[in-house]
Amino acid sequence: MCAHVLVAEDDEMQAELIRRSLLSEGHTATVVHDGSAALDAARRLRPDLVVLDLMLPVIDGFGVCRVLRRDDDIPVLMLTARSAEDDVLLGLELGADDYMTKPYSPRELMARIRTVLRRSGRADGRREDPVIRAAGIAVDPERHEVRCDGAAVECTPAEFEILLAMVAEPERVFSRRQLLERTRGTDRASTERAVDVHIMNLRRKVEADPRSPARLLTVFGVGYKLSGGRA
């Protein structure tokens, strides 16, 4: 069973623990740390499951779940330190597929994730082709592979997350902060300035002439975009 799981957890240590547990189970994971980023990632990446902390900043887990249920049918497993019956019932009424209270063991969480995925039928071949393509670049979020014009490209975890975001939305202009958010959980020590370094390194890997890029373009005063449209 292999799935792409979106983890929305504001505690970075907890998020990293969940991410590593998911990877050890053969899943792929995207990590965000607030409710707004969770909704953005869910719309952009269409994950197989959302592991959703209740006490998120910006938009709390209840608000995220409410929007997800209005717009999509992505399975949701809620996590919270609040175990009051009213909170549990509200989460389930909003459409959460399961609910775990903290503290929990990673093994129990992985078992619950397997159960939700099995019930939803979202894993193992739900999508015929998970590869995202644009501008001659193909990104496989399940196999964590990148190809450019058919040739394999080796990327660091942070470079992969940035490229995945940009290939999923070609021509969208991303600010450095938005791209930095994509690296959370893969490069926690990164800064907005480090995004420039990641882009520079990616240009060396996907551009014919890194000094005159045709794909990863700078939008002065704003950030970066991937130019070239859908492949």
Side-chain angles (χ1 to χ4, degrees), residues 105-126:
S105 74
R107 288 182 63 185
E108 181 185 3
L109 177 59
M110 293 304 108
R112 295 282 193 95
I113 286 174
R114 286 194 296 271
T115 298
V116 173
L117 288 171
R118 190 160 45 245
R119 285 201 309 253
S120 68
R122 285 257 175 170
D124 286 337
R126 179 180 63 88

Side-chain angles (χ1 to χ4, degrees), residues 148 202-217 226:
C148 181
L202 282 169
R203 282 173 173 163
R204 293 193 184 108
K205 299 173 181 181
V206 303
E207 298 284 2
D209 181 359
R211 294 170 298 180
S212 182
R215 288 173 165 133
L216 294 175
L217 305 184
L226 178 70

Side-chain angles (χ1 to χ4, degrees), residues 83-163:
S83 59
E85 184 179 15
D86 287 348
D87 289 338
V88 175
L89 291 176
L90 179 56
L92 296 175
E93 287 171 1
L94 287 173
D97 296 84
D98 203 352
Y99 198 106
M100 289 189 68
T101 56
K102 301 176 182 179
Y104 53 82
S105 74
R107 288 182 63 185
E108 181 185 3
L109 177 59
M110 293 304 108
R112 295 282 193 95
I113 286 174
R114 286 194 296 271
T115 298
V116 173
L117 288 171
R118 190 160 45 245
R119 285 201 309 253
S120 68
R122 285 257 175 170
D124 286 337
R126 179 180 63 88
R127 293 169 294 187
E128 291 183 4
D129 185 4
V131 179
I132 304 169
R133 298 177 176 86
I137 300 170
V139 181
D140 188 334
E142 294 185 357
R143 293 182 174 84
H144 213 270
E145 294 176 349
V146 175
R147 290 187 172 274
C148 181
D149 296 330
V153 176
E154 294 294 327
C155 293
T156 67
E159 290 168 2
F160 182 88
E161 293 298 336
I162 288 173
L163 201 55

Side-chain angles (χ1 to χ4, degrees), residues 3-67:
H4 181 199
V5 180
L6 172 62
V7 179
E9 166 64 76
D10 66 329
D11 184 316
E12 293 192 9
M13 291 183 64
Q14 285 289 324
E16 178 64 7
L17 178 62
I18 296 170
R19 187 185 74 86
R20 292 187 180 190
S21 297
L22 287 165
L23 294 181
S24 71
E25 292 274 318
H27 304 302
T28 58
T30 298
V31 175
V32 296
H33 300 292
D34 67 65
S36 178
L39 289 173
D40 177 66
R43 291 167 179 145
R44 179 169 48 87
L45 300 176
R46 307 270 307 166
D48 298 299
L49 171 70
V50 179
V51 176
L52 181 64
D53 182 44
L54 184 60
M55 302 300 290
L56 290 173
V58 186
I59 303 173
D60 68 17
F62 289 137
V64 173
C65 190
R66 186 178 290 110
V67 174

